[in-house]
Amino acid sequence: MSAAEDLGYQEKTHELKWVGKNVTRTDGVDKVTGRAQFGADLIMPGMLFGAVLRSPHAHAKINGIDTSKAEALKGVKAVICRDDFADQPSEMIQVGELSVNIRDVIRNVMAREKAMYDGHAIAAVAATTAAIARKALKLIEVDYEVLPHVIDVEEAMKPDAPLLNEDMFTDGVDPKPDKPSNIAKRLEIKLGDVEAGFADADVVIEREYRTRPVHQGYIEPHACVASYTEDGQGEVWASTPGHFLVRAITARLCGMDVSKVKATASEIGGGFGGKNIVYLEPLAMALSRKCGRPVKMAMHRNEVFRATGPTSGSHMKVKIGAKRDGKITAGWAELMFQAGAFPGSPVFPAAMCAYACYDLENVLVIGWDVIANRPKTTAYRAPGAQISAFAVESAMDELARELGIDPIDLRLMNAAKEGTKAAYGPTFGPVGQVESLEAIKNHPNYKIPLGPNQGRGVASGFWFNIGGETSVTMNVNDDGTIALTLGNPDLSGTRTSISVMAAEELGIEPDRIRPTIGDTTSLGFNFISAGSRTTFAVGKATVEASRVVIDEFRARAAATWDIPVEAVVWEDGHARPASSNAGDFEPLSLEDIAREAKKTGGPIAGHVETNVSGAGPSFATEAVDIEVDPETGHIKVLRFTAAQDAGKAIQPNFVEGQYQGAAVQGIGWALNEEYIYDDKGRLENPGFLDYRMPVASDLPMIDAVIVEVPNPNHPYGVRGIGETSIVPVMAAMANALEDATDVRINELPLSPPRVLKALNEKNGG
Amino acid sequence: MARYHVSATVNGDDVEFLCEPEQTLLDVLRDELHLTGTKEGCASGDCGACSVMIDGRLVCSCLVMGAEVGDREIETIEGMADGEQLHPLQQKFLDYAALQCGYCTPGILIAAKALLERNPDPTETEARFWLAGNLCRCTGYDKIMRAVMDTAAEMRGE
Amino acid sequence: MASDRVNWNGSDVITMRYEAPETMEAAVELLSSDEGARVLAGGTDLLVQLRAEMIEPSLVVDVKRIAAMREITKENDGIRVGAAVAGAELGEHEEFKATWPGVLEAFELIGSTQIQGRATMGGNLCNASPAADSVPAMIAAGATATILGPGGQRDVPVEDIAIGPGQTSLDKGELVTSFFFPKPAARTGDAYLRFIPRTEMDIAVVGAGICLTLDDSDICKAARVSLGAVAARALVVDEAADALIGTPVDEAALAKLAEAASAAAKPIDDKRGTKEFRIQVMGVMARRTAEIALARAKAN
């Protein structure tokens, strides 16, 4: 055995001591006592407060910015605008599941030629108090030339639509257009021959769907503190899922070497993908550089809604063909996604995932990435997959009705399984789609009789999950405890789950391991906490680091006993002779070895720098029961069951929490959440009051069913589990609505006015 | 700029601070008294992350002016545990994994404590409506409700 | 009062002043003295508007330290509620709760538990939102507002205070100090219902306050119907009340009520609901509200 051993899944021959149990989270006490420090909680000596001036226009040329009056205000220490940043060339960088162009990033962080959306940053101020900073914003004079704007994706695609970027010519179209448009890109996911598949079909369902932009809705607004010193060094403290990304973009936009920026991740108050990009940190750094004092910046809630990451609104067309017996012969879709002001909507993952739940021979999904005068989209939990699933899984439900087949049976009949070639490329290994469907089919939720105005809907979902660059350091302290340094901010308890895997490997109690999220100087590069990668990838690297440490423990024991290292095994937290042939020695505990480390060769540590691969896709199926008020169109959720494949749940109550949280975000998306714009392109509901996320009294308990089909590429079988459970929700809700009322709605949200209107139309009123 | 000199009690301690009229109690707690356990989520009373008690009433500290709280008794999350002894709600939140990111947690704990002080035996529906002003985007509320209901049962001696 | 103003050498920006008088007369004097003065009662609207920079008052007059405005007192012919009484405080007043359950429910629908710890009926009325929940219920109950101003004191029906979004009929320096709820006739019941997309935390999309009185043979002999969020101010709809009066509040009467309520609704399309939705659901809510008021009247 050595650290180089296969890090694949091994069925355990002994009972696991910690993995699969629930231990108390390591950051728990700090979070229930108010000690945990989030983005806006850091207080530095001499710290100033920053604020951002934002465009009131959806689309406007910026002819000039006069900051002189703001600069003259007593208490104001620095004012910055576009002139304080050098422009960036066109170059794609990867952030989470999505890639963005750094030329667009600089424009999104601070408007240059034009304000591209209501809320776009125009200038920023640092002052001795937050109130003075806000007052200074009013003294900045901006000469705007208001331009026609476009919000809606269908409008933005029209040839005569207001043009956001005169230099944009649609990619992926042959021949390349000679006229610019708002369509950034066309893409295709293709398998087999859909035309032949439709020719073979007995039944074809063809529908159109529309969704509205929705926000991730984390409760912590974006916040950071940056400090720049005269020697050209900068530090930044930020609420982020990826402080290495913060470092990279801050350094790049501020023209600093990467080594000169040290980024530290605060605790992060939710992100769901929406913090997978940088907004404030380069501004805070530039302000700090200008005045030589630390600058704290924290968004107001309305800035979060107006200027940060909603996901796309969409217009989708779906066509599914099947034989009478339920066998699907072809799946086609065309997805038109709003990217916001700059290209890069999640239309690609949406296209990848659209039909991934099914074992199909013929698939064609066409995607269009379209810019519009809205904030640039960022990732939102299984980005894009939830949107295309709303369309495909709604159509699947209609197909099941048309064929008179139970919707779960129809899905089972066509389910993706081991050996299925997905349209987006890979051939699946062991996956849990069949198991998730059967879990719902056999769940009491699927059998409870329904009353009047009640309905039940089901839908499935898929997310591929990712691995990525990971660096982990495990230091063995001289008292036999472990300092585990990870580079991935913990949004949901990942630190604890990863420690549990290390405890299992080392054979010690989890509370002897202290996990810390290290700053960017303490570890090699880490890709951000995204794509449900953290427990999987960082866990895998930590298992590897544990095994490096164990090998060193064995070597130290072997040296102590003067026997070959191969003759020493590590069991239950102790080095032991492999057999009586190896000699008769008292086992050495981890503490024994740690205590003597100075004499046996010095400090013991394991560190791993790797690019983790082998993320296991995760499938989910969900059932929801609703009751519709036929007089108001109000939908009440009665019951909700989410069954998702976790591979292996390291901490079952954390896994349940992910399914439950994802389900409720989906319920909000389905029922009421949406971005509402006025005719000037200004966001009308930039607050929690009118954005209407679910509150506790809106909901029942959410039943989470953990399906476990081990991922062969992880030592404990872990799959990423953070995202898939949001994917089926919106379709399941629409399917339940039809079950309850015989009304099919293909547009989100299923808000009372829309539902009541549809009910009226059905009733001929 | 004119500032107001205010004396009040926070978690049983006498405090004095100077505040601008624009500063809310939330701003004062965080920026002047450095009690950052109380969080800002919206500053409009819609999320409950800034929940505190004033003279025994549950309020959003973002909707209280700092200048208003002279002579008032304020309780925040920092005063919830008794030394090393967590409040039963705090312990149950850990036991049930009733938090993920933890940002809404201080406000929810303060609100839940106020509920149980007023109504030691709430129904789940009552608890859900009481906590409707505390947004949580991570958990879907399931484990929060279970933790609150179980704490109530435990505190009743069941 | 432990909040003393001190000079501070900070910025030269002109900022607002905060005052917390202890008498109504002192409050009126302050309000009269400054063109840019605003009343701070519960603050649940004022602080939101301050933060959003919708208003920039030069003076904020906190009325919560005026004892008389925080009291609930029984008078011979009714109950008087101070305009700065918070929702949570009113909810603890057993007699008010038993007498005017509809008014209390309406008041308690405003915002969260946290908001209830602060929000006041005086504030809800004078903020003059057409969607204010407590206002239709107070109007239906026949409540009057007592106003103190530089010219003295006057009593005004609640429906005459808010005259449009953000606008009241109060003169400069005037302050609503209390509300008077007349003792209801025997066999009177009141109720308030609103429609919101969620179950809590929303602003009413439509709201209906109804108070009705039955005679000994269960025929409705008096009714008041007030509708919220369907016009620039809460409406008093006599046609809707007439649909109930003289009837046993049966299906036919309720259908007529719903029709009259929908007909009276003159809503706008906005982010909270479409015009057609509001008109239709106004009728539904009026009918459901009347059913609750009826059951209460029968029990009284």
Side-chain angles (χ1 to χ4, degrees):
Chain A
M1 280 215 330
S2 81
E5 78 177 290
D6 180 22
L7 283 162
Y9 178 67
Q10 289 178 322
E11 197 143 355
K12 298 297 179 276
T13 52
H14 59 282
E15 199 195 333
L16 295 171
K17 262 180 115 163
W18 306 109
V19 165
K21 313 287 195 301
N22 290 324
V23 308
T24 300
R25 54 190 297 154
T26 59
D27 53 328
V29 168
D30 281 357
K31 286 185 172 167
V32 298
T33 56
R35 278 193 196 88
Q37 282 202 300
F38 291 85
D41 294 342
L42 183 71
I43 294 155
M44 287 180 75
M47 188 174 80
L48 304 173
F49 295 83
V52 178
L53 179 70
R54 296 187 180 277
S55 169
H57 305 295
H59 196 193
K61 189 158 171 258
I62 302 169
N63 289 328
I65 303 173
D66 181 353
T67 60
S68 57
K69 285 182 187 153
E71 282 160 20
L73 183 67
K74 194 166 180 180
V76 170
K77 301 295 177 186
V79 183
I80 57 168
C81 63
R82 58 190 180 184
D83 303 338
D84 293 86
F85 295 95
D87 203 356
Q88 295 287 333
S90 181
E91 181 190 329
M92 298 305 288
I93 58 167
Q94 189 75 23
V95 291
E97 298 94 331
L98 307 175
S99 58
V100 294
N101 190 321
I102 193 78
R103 186 181 179 278
D104 295 336
V105 172
I106 181 111
R107 278 164 179 71
N108 199 30
V109 164
M110 187 68 94
R112 296 187 80 80
E113 302 84 3
K114 295 200 287 187
M116 301 291 276
Y117 52 91
D118 167 38
H120 198 167
I122 305 295
V125 173
T128 50
T129 73
I132 294 171
R134 291 268 154 199
K135 281 175 179 159
L137 295 182
K138 295 188 182 161
L139 300 174
I140 298 173
E141 290 167 6
V142 185
D143 177 7
Y144 292 109
E145 182 183 332
V146 177
L147 302 169
H149 71 277
V150 62
I151 303 280
D152 181 77
V153 66
E154 289 161 75
E155 295 297 320
M157 289 178 83
K158 288 181 179 164
D160 57 347
L163 207 53
L164 272 70
N165 180 349
E166 286 81 10
D167 299 325
M168 201 166 78
F169 300 86
T170 311
D171 271 346
V173 177
D174 191 24
K176 200 171 172 99
D178 54 6
K179 271 182 62 187
S181 76
N182 293 323
I183 304 170
K185 189 174 187 174
R186 179 189 186 278
L187 55 88
E188 231 178 65
I189 297 286
K190 193 174 176 190
L191 180 72
D193 178 352
V194 281
E195 288 312 317
F198 285 119
D200 204 23
D202 298 324
V203 176
V204 173
I205 298 288
E206 191 169 4
R207 298 285 184 272
E208 283 190 52
Y209 300 87
R210 287 176 178 84
T211 69
R212 308 278 288 176
V214 295
H215 198 274
Q216 295 81 350
Y218 35 82
I219 312 298
E220 182 201 25
H222 299 253
C224 68
V225 181
S227 175
Y228 185 95
T229 46
E230 290 77 355
D231 54 1
Q233 309 284 327
E235 292 195 21
V236 57
W237 157 275
S239 168
T240 172
H243 43 312
F244 289 87
L245 174 78
V246 168
R247 177 182 68 172
I249 293 186
T250 304
R252 178 78 179 255
L253 299 192
C254 294
M256 299 165 70
D257 292 341
V258 169
S259 67
K260 295 222 164 111
V261 179
K262 173 180 159 187
T264 305
S266 70
E267 294 297 330
I268 170 170
F272 314 106
K275 293 177 182 169
N276 291 8
I277 186 65
V278 166
Y279 300 98
L280 294 177
E281 290 82 356
L283 304 183
M285 188 65 80
L287 286 166
S288 179
R289 177 161 62 187
K290 211 157 183 176
C291 63
R293 288 169 67 173
V295 176
K296 177 187 284 189
M297 301 188 84
M299 287 193 194
H300 284 190
R301 176 56 53 184
N302 80 75
E303 298 180 273
V304 175
F305 276 110
R306 287 167 67 207
T308 77
T311 192
S312 298
S314 73
H315 175 209
M316 298 178 282
K317 298 175 184 173
V318 165
K319 188 174 168 188
I320 303 177
K323 304 296 275 185
R324 271 276 153 221
D325 65 4
K327 175 75 189 155
I328 297 173
T329 58
W332 175 91
E334 186 175 15
L335 313 174
M336 289 146 275
F337 275 36
Q338 267 173 338
F342 304 100
S345 75
V347 69
F348 185 53
M352 289 163 66
C353 299
Y355 285 100
C357 287
Y358 303 107
D359 184 14
L360 305 184
E361 286 173 14
N362 306 303
V363 174
L364 177 62
V365 184
I366 298 157
W368 299 94
D369 188 38
V370 182
I371 61 173
N373 294 111
R374 286 192 32 234
K376 164 73 181 73
T377 53
T378 50
Y380 180 19
R381 202 167 205 156
Q386 343 85 329
I387 300 173
S388 57
F390 168 63
V392 170
E393 291 294 293
S394 292
M396 283 293 290
D397 199 67
E398 290 206 63
L399 179 63
R401 283 167 197 280
E402 173 76 26
L403 296 172
I405 300 176
D406 174 273
I408 291 190
D409 290 339
L410 178 67
R411 288 175 173 85
L412 275 170
M413 211 179 288
N414 293 286
K417 51 193 174 293
E418 185 166 5
T420 294
K421 176 152 174 58
Y424 73 90
T427 298
F428 291 137
V431 290
Q433 170 65 346
V434 169
E435 290 80 357
S436 85
L437 285 160
E438 284 173 345
I440 292 297
K441 193 174 178 183
N442 297 325
H443 194 278
N445 192 157
Y446 205 59
K447 303 184 180 86
I448 296 169
L450 295 170
N453 300 314
Q454 297 183 352
R456 175 167 296 145
V458 295
S460 287
F462 167 84
W463 185 245
F464 43 84
N465 295 320
I466 61 170
E469 297 115 299
T470 305
S471 303
V472 167
T473 293
M474 179 178 281
N475 285 307
V476 181
N477 302 319
D478 63 3
D479 63 352
T481 58
I482 304 291
L484 177 62
T485 307
L486 310 172
N488 276 86
D490 175 357
L491 294 121
S492 55
T494 51
R495 234 170 323 200
T496 308
S497 302
I498 292 162
S499 293
V500 162
M501 285 184 261
E504 193 74 48
E505 291 290 318
L506 296 171
I508 60 172
E509 303 269 327
D511 72 359
R512 287 174 58 196
I513 300 171
R514 171 80 184 176
T516 305
I517 311 303
D519 65 52
T520 52
T521 64
S522 66
L523 282 172
F525 181 78
N526 282 275
F527 192 67
I528 66 175
S529 298
S532 294
R533 82 177 207 94
T534 308
T535 302
F536 161 73
V538 184
K540 191 171 176 179
T542 301
V543 167
E544 190 178 348
S546 305
R547 291 179 184 179
V548 170
V549 165
I550 288 168
D551 282 351
E552 187 60 22
F553 289 156
R554 290 168 55 230
R556 301 291 174 100
T560 305
W561 295 331
D562 197 20
I563 62 174
V565 68
E566 295 75 19
V568 180
V569 294
W570 186 260
E571 278 175 6
D572 206 18
H574 291 75
R576 302 176 200 273
S579 69
S580 52
N581 294 344
D584 184 17
F585 303 103
E586 276 297 301
L588 289 171
S589 68
L590 195 157
E591 290 93 323
D592 296 334
I593 296 169
R595 194 172 49 240
E596 298 300 319
K598 182 178 174 186
K599 295 176 203 157
T600 59
I604 299 172
H607 61 100
V608 166
E609 291 78 30
T610 182
N611 192 351
V612 179
S613 60
S618 180
F619 290 85
T621 300
E622 296 174 346
V624 61
D625 293 352
I626 63 167
E627 182 170 320
V628 182
D629 181 338
E631 292 185 314
T632 65
H634 188 272
I635 293 174
K636 181 181 181 188
V637 178
L638 303 172
R639 282 175 285 278
F640 196 105
T641 306
Q644 185 188 330
D645 180 13
K648 173 71 185 173
I650 301 296
Q651 279 267 129
N653 60 12
F654 291 6
V655 173
E656 289 165 5
Q658 289 296 309
Y659 297 1
Q660 291 161 341
V664 169
Q665 282 187 316
I667 288 170
W669 193 337
L671 290 181
N672 285 304
E673 293 179 33
E674 62 177 317
Y675 266 44
I676 302 168
Y677 287 93
D678 70 11
D679 59 3
K680 295 192 167 60
R682 288 197 268 246
L683 185 61
E684 286 199 287
N685 58 337
F688 285 139
L689 176 65
D690 286 308
Y691 181 71
R692 297 189 280 255
M693 300 187 336
V695 300
S697 52
D698 294 340
L699 297 160
M701 293 295 185
I702 306 293
D703 211 339
V705 179
I706 300 175
V707 173
E708 293 187 322
V709 176
N711 173 10
N713 302 311
H714 185 280
Y716 293 94
V718 168
R719 296 173 192 274
I721 53 92
E723 295 170 270
T724 313
S725 274
I726 196 175
V727 177
V729 185
M730 288 69 80
M733 295 282 286
N735 298 343
L737 179 65
E738 177 166 15
D739 193 44
T741 62
D742 291 331
V743 162
R744 170 62 60 176
I745 298 182
N746 290 334
E747 185 167 357
L748 295 177
L750 306 172
S751 54
R754 181 168 287 137
V755 173
L756 189 63
K757 191 172 176 207
L759 290 171
N760 287 342
E761 282 162 8
K762 184 194 82 171
N763 298 330
Chain B
M1 184 174 287
R3 288 198 174 196
Y4 291 85
H5 174 233
V6 180
S7 307
T9 306
V10 178
N11 300 324
D13 295 332
D14 291 340
V15 299
E16 287 181 61
F17 56 86
L18 291 172
C19 76
E20 295 166 23
E22 288 85 353
Q23 282 181 294
T24 63
L25 174 59
L26 173 63
D27 297 333
V28 166
L29 288 171
R30 293 179 53 82
D31 297 335
E32 307 300 324
L33 303 176
H34 294 182
L35 293 169
T36 56
T38 304
K39 304 301 181 194
E40 178 177 314
C42 66
S44 57
D46 296 307
C47 80
C50 68
S51 297
V52 300
M53 302 294 282
I54 300 182
D55 290 348
R57 292 264 180 227
L58 177 66
V59 302
C60 287
S61 59
C62 71
L63 297 184
V64 178
M65 291 173 68
E68 280 186 73
V69 300
D71 301 333
R72 304 289 190 212
E73 288 182 13
I74 297 155
E75 294 166 62
T76 72
I77 187 65
E78 286 88 350
M80 192 160 171
D82 180 10
E84 285 205 342
Q85 184 65 43
L86 294 179
H87 185 279
L89 275 164
Q90 292 173 309
Q91 186 58 50
K92 288 286 182 204
F93 267 56
L94 298 180
D95 297 344
Y96 277 83
L99 57 129
Q100 287 179 28
C101 79
Y103 194 78
C104 69
T105 308
I108 291 187
L109 286 167
I110 290 286
K113 180 166 172 270
L115 166 67
L116 300 187
E117 283 165 0
R118 185 161 299 253
N119 180 359
D121 192 10
T123 63
E124 186 194 319
T125 301
E126 285 169 343
R128 283 184 180 274
F129 274 90
W130 182 276
L131 293 174
N134 289 87
L135 288 177
C136 169
R137 191 62 158 174
C138 292
T139 66
Y141 305 102
D142 181 296
K143 294 189 188 304
I144 291 171
M145 302 318 303
R146 288 179 200 277
V148 170
M149 297 305 288
D150 192 32
T151 308
E154 185 185 276
M155 289 176 75
R156 291 193 304 270
E158 287 167 18
Chain C
M1 180 63 225
S3 167
D4 305 313
R5 197 163 193 227
V6 298
N7 289 323
W8 184 260
N9 295 323
S11 137
D12 50 4
V13 180
I14 295 171
T15 182
M16 70 181 183
R17 216 153 46 95
Y18 167 84
E19 296 286 352
E22 295 185 8
T23 66
M24 297 191 283
E25 292 71 20
V28 167
E29 199 173 311
L30 281 162
L31 290 169
S32 311
S33 71
D34 191 326
E35 203 60 52
R38 293 293 288 245
V39 176
L40 169 65
T44 56
D45 287 310
L46 186 81
L47 269 86
V48 176
Q49 292 161 6
L50 280 172
R51 166 79 166 205
E53 297 172 352
M54 289 160 63
I55 54 169
E56 291 184 55
S58 47
L59 170 66
V60 166
V61 180
D62 180 0
V63 295
K64 284 191 304 303
R65 292 188 187 258
I66 302 172
M69 287 182 66
R70 303 286 304 263
E71 288 169 357
I72 305 166
T73 46
K74 199 170 170 198
E75 297 183 0
N76 280 340
D77 45 357
I79 303 179
R80 185 166 295 280
V81 179
V85 170
E89 293 163 352
L90 190 63
E92 288 158 14
H93 195 275
E94 291 304 326
E95 188 180 343
F96 190 89
K97 191 173 174 177
T99 312
W100 295 109
V103 174
L104 185 62
E105 281 164 4
F107 193 10
E108 290 184 335
L109 282 174
I110 302 167
S112 59
T113 320
Q114 286 86 338
I115 300 293
Q116 285 295 306
R118 294 269 294 171
T120 67
M121 284 199 285
N124 196 223
L125 176 64
C126 296
N127 184 54
S129 160
D133 286 304
S134 71
V135 175
M138 282 200 282
I139 292 173
T144 51
T146 297
I147 296 165
L148 187 67
Q153 185 173 303
R154 61 192 177 108
D155 289 337
V156 175
V158 167
E159 55 265 41
D160 293 340
I161 304 276
I163 53 173
Q167 288 183 300
T168 70
S169 58
L170 297 180
D171 286 335
K172 181 172 148 59
E174 282 193 325
L175 172 69
V176 173
T177 58
S178 67
F179 297 99
F180 180 71
F181 293 83
K183 186 176 164 50
R187 310 207 75 213
T188 294
D190 83 322
Y192 175 83
L193 284 180
R194 65 177 184 181
F195 180 83
I196 55 170
R198 293 182 290 184
T199 54
E200 262 285 5
M201 302 305 293
D202 288 327
I203 303 292
V205 177
V206 301
I210 296 181
C211 181
L212 58 85
T213 304
L214 300 177
D215 67 15
D216 292 340
S217 49
D218 283 352
I219 299 298
C220 177
K221 63 176 183 183
R224 280 173 66 83
V225 176
S226 178
L227 308 180
V230 288
R233 58 197 280 190
L235 301 173
V236 182
V237 184
D238 292 337
E239 296 80 0
D242 291 345
L244 302 176
I245 295 168
T247 78
V249 193
D250 54 6
E251 274 306 315
L254 290 169
K256 267 185 77 182
L257 163 75
E259 206 176 305
S262 287
K266 300 280 180 283
I268 53 167
D269 270 321
D270 71 4
K271 61 192 172 187
R272 292 173 184 150
T274 60
K275 199 170 155 178
E276 55 174 344
F277 178 80
R278 284 186 154 119
I279 290 171
Q280 185 174 351
V281 174
M282 188 70 261
V284 174
M285 286 294 131
R287 197 192 70 230
R288 292 180 183 179
T289 308
E291 286 170 342
I292 298 170
L294 176 67
R296 285 180 177 154
K298 285 182 176 171
N300 279 341

